[in-house]
Amino acid sequence: MYSLKKLKVLLVMSLLVNVLLIGAGSYALSQKSGKELVKQVVKPQDFSDYYLQKTHLYDSLDYGKVDKIFVGDSITDHGELQTYFPGEVVLNRGIVDDKTKGVLNRIDEVVKREPKEVYILIGINDIAENVPVDVYEKNMEKIIQSFDKASTKVIIQSILPVNNQDFPNKIPNETVDQFNEVLQKLAKKHALEYVDLNPHFKDADGQLIEELTVDGVHLTGKGYDLWIENL
């Protein structure tokens, strides 16, 4: 047990330490704005928890020879794509809500698998989140250049149309067409196969055929059948 005198001494010392700490903090803030200081301590998460969980899982798995890898967003993620290719090793590398930035961030895991073929379908979320078309093009260029064309055949697929007549989404098909022009240009530049899926998915009004979608963007089972049939 401390005596009353010792307790008083300890209390005074504690107060002095707190004063010194407050002074040090004030000095730091005087040298750097509070906003900048917070940035050093708290960094915003660039990607969702789901994205981080999926990429961690992908990195942790070992495979032998891989025949096909499908890379994309939720449209790819939701598909049971391996069932369409019995006897082949097919990996699904779709992640819900992903954009070209996210694909570029995780493309090394796909490249290291050295698949015979890689199918890339990405861009609808770039459009939905107003990513400038020139940024999209630069990201796609880097994604394409990540692969060794001598060992992996890269197939670029058109961004699918949306249906905003029968479903409440605001993605304009005119912008989808603009982004697809970029993909066509890149495919030609790098001598890659470009698969234009859109003629098979558009109705007479240029909308994603209603029976092929559950919400104007994502596909029904019949939509997946049609997709794979046209690869």
Side-chain angles (χ1 to χ4, degrees), residues 10 23 75 164 195 197 222:
L10 289 172
I75 296 172
N164 43 35
V195 178
L197 297 168
K222 186 176 289 187

Side-chain angles (χ1 to χ4, degrees), residues 95-145:
I95 295 183
V96 169
D97 292 333
D98 210 4
K99 302 187 292 294
T100 50
K101 177 184 176 182
V103 170
L104 185 58
N105 180 66
R106 61 187 174 92
I107 200 62
D108 287 348
E109 185 272 331
V110 178
V111 172
K112 76 177 182 180
R113 306 295 179 189
E114 297 185 337
K116 294 177 183 177
E117 299 173 341
V118 61
Y119 296 82
I120 302 173
L121 173 53
I122 191 74
I124 198 66
N125 292 316
D126 291 75
I127 295 171
E129 296 189 20
N130 298 313
V131 173
V133 69
D134 62 319
V135 173
Y136 175 78
E137 182 172 356
K138 290 175 183 176
N139 289 345
M140 282 300 303
E141 179 90 40
K142 292 176 183 177
I143 291 168
I144 290 168
Q145 291 179 338

Side-chain angles (χ1 to χ4, degrees), residues 58-75:
Y58 294 157
D59 283 329
S60 68
L61 296 173
D62 291 324
Y63 302 93
K65 293 182 179 180
V66 177
D67 295 294
K68 294 176 172 62
I69 298 182
F70 286 81
V71 179
D73 46 46
S74 56
I75 296 172

